[in-house]
Amino acid sequence: MIYHLSLQAGGLIAGALLVLIGLPGLLRPRLFQDFAKRLPRSLLAGVVLLTVDLVWSFWLLATMEMGEFQAFRRPLLIGLPIGYVLVLRFVEEFLSVRALGILCLLAAEPLLDSAFFRYEPSRLFVTVLAYLLVIAGLFWVTMPYLLRDQINWSARSDGRWRFLHGVAVAYGVVMIALAITQY
């Protein structure tokens, strides 16, 4: 275990993040739609998200047990910042989407780790969210234009936008309730 995150803490954090992301879109759809439509091409958001990815990845690489791959730690620790600079230099197109995809992939592991060897059926709320993050992350890193298309599709009507954000808020509230009562 890398993170030592309990299922209760994982459920609370993930639920709170879902509520915090979903509420603005539910309450102020027009304002949040404009922000979401600008996000895929935002260079500032891409740099910020990629920097978060770099720090998280560097910390993981520096602290995790690598077993037989221990000899690769130092070259990877050197290569990670070099790769960061090269990505900033040469990958400007949809950088924020790719960085968000990497962040989704990084965020899925602590959620899966927290549900590992837990037998409550309600743990599946955390696990399903983690696998949705993995699927979204893989698609957004390899085909970043999909997030732009997903945002445009969901923003086509206020009703659709509110429904999707309402689902996210409801899922977050359920996860928080389960974390408080079940885990």
Side-chain angles (χ1 to χ4, degrees):
M1 296 182 85
I2 297 171
Y3 294 98
H4 305 289
L5 191 67
S6 69
L7 185 57
Q8 183 178 30
L12 284 172
I13 292 169
L17 284 174
L18 278 174
V19 169
L20 287 174
I21 291 169
L23 269 180
L26 188 62
L27 300 176
R28 302 284 308 257
R30 285 288 174 204
L31 180 68
F32 202 61
Q33 284 174 1
D34 293 338
F35 169 76
K37 286 180 181 178
R38 288 190 314 268
L39 179 69
R41 299 225 185 243
S42 172
L43 184 61
L44 177 63
V47 170
V48 169
L49 288 170
L50 195 64
T51 303
V52 170
D53 295 340
L54 171 71
V55 170
W56 194 342
S57 300
F58 197 86
W59 172 77
L60 274 177
L61 198 54
T63 60
M64 71 183 195
E65 179 59 42
M66 295 182 68
E68 62 191 48
F69 299 104
Q70 187 71 26
F72 295 113
R73 184 184 309 268
R74 176 164 284 160
L76 288 172
L77 286 172
I78 293 169
L80 199 59
I82 293 170
Y84 169 79
V85 170
L86 290 174
V87 166
L88 286 179
R89 173 71 175 101
F90 294 110
V91 184
E92 292 180 11
E93 191 71 19
F94 290 116
L95 178 63
S96 61
V97 180
R98 295 176 199 271
L100 183 62
I102 294 168
L103 189 62
C104 287
L105 293 171
L106 286 169
E109 203 280 329
L111 294 176
L112 290 173
D113 199 24
S114 69
F116 193 60
F117 281 133
R118 295 295 298 256
Y119 298 106
E120 303 95 339
S122 57
R123 82 184 184 292
L124 294 175
F125 278 93
V126 175
T127 307
V128 165
L129 177 64
Y131 283 116
L132 288 174
L133 287 172
V134 168
I135 291 168
L138 288 173
F139 275 104
W140 293 343
V141 168
T142 58
M143 295 181 285
Y145 57 88
L146 287 179
L147 179 62
R148 179 202 59 204
D149 295 344
Q150 291 163 349
I151 291 170
N152 288 335
W153 177 84
S154 61
R156 201 165 285 148
S157 73
D158 279 348
R160 185 183 296 171
W161 184 266
R162 285 180 191 258
F163 174 76
L164 292 172
H165 282 83
V167 168
V169 169
Y171 200 88
V173 168
V174 167
M175 285 182 68
I176 291 170
L178 288 173
I180 292 170
T181 62
Q182 299 290 319
Y183 312 138

